[in-house]
Amino acid sequence: MAFQIAPRPLNPIPSKRPQKRKGYLSWIHTLPCVVTGQSTVQAAHVSFASPWHGHYGRGKGTKAPDRFALPLCEAEHTRQHSMNETAYWSSVGINPHELANTLFGLWSDYEEYEATERATSRILSGLAANDRLPSRDTL
């Protein structure tokens, strides 16, 4: 007699929203913009789902979880909201879910000072890899 495993959905949607992590969005505001490197930023939530990265989208009338917030300067944040979000992130050469998970992991794993240093280094490395590292004069 053979046993059959009942099929399950590949990415079941969680039944409750993630909890807010006190201080995370404040910490995001201390980092440079992931697109321009500018130092004055807003917390930009990534809205589109990526179950592979643990992001199931947002409910109607709600924001995406804070874990999927990235630091963007005001101009880029406005641009992110003014077009198809998947197209926006593709146009700037960033996988927002991977970067958001990296930043959240650094914030979760290290003391704030070290997390800030490591996150800033990661952001600036990404800017350099995409040939967008600003000069000191433009910051």
Side-chain angles (χ1 to χ4, degrees):
M1 172 180 226
F3 290 97
Q4 183 176 6
I5 298 174
R8 291 185 5 193
L10 293 177
N11 295 308
I13 297 173
S15 59
K16 69 180 207 175
R17 305 276 309 149
Q19 290 183 331
K20 296 270 185 193
R21 297 287 299 268
K22 187 177 180 180
Y24 183 66
L25 291 183
S26 295
W27 178 73
I28 286 289
H29 285 90
T30 69
L31 301 175
C33 173
V34 299
V35 176
T36 66
Q38 293 178 13
S39 58
T40 302
V41 298
Q42 300 173 348
H45 289 80
V46 179
S47 296
F48 68 98
S50 177
W52 178 260
H53 294 97
H55 188 336
Y56 298 95
R58 57 188 179 95
K60 189 173 184 177
T62 63
K63 281 189 176 179
D66 289 345
R67 169 189 202 108
F68 293 101
L70 292 170
L72 285 179
C73 66
E74 184 177 0
E76 290 298 322
H77 195 185
T78 300
R79 197 169 146 236
Q80 174 209 15
H81 286 295
S82 71
M83 59 190 290
N84 175 285
E85 191 177 3
T86 306
Y88 168 77
W89 289 110
S90 180
S91 75
V92 296
I94 293 174
N95 180 324
H97 297 99
E98 286 182 7
L99 183 55
N101 275 333
T102 298
L103 297 181
F104 188 79
L106 292 170
W107 180 78
S108 298
D109 291 348
Y110 295 98
E111 295 295 325
E112 188 169 330
Y113 173 77
E114 189 170 359
T116 302
E117 290 295 313
R118 289 176 182 260
T120 299
S121 176
R122 169 56 186 88
I123 290 167
L124 295 178
S125 295
L127 290 171
N130 287 313
D131 216 18
R132 288 193 321 263
L133 194 61
S135 71
R136 293 181 189 265
D137 298 333
T138 62
L139 295 176

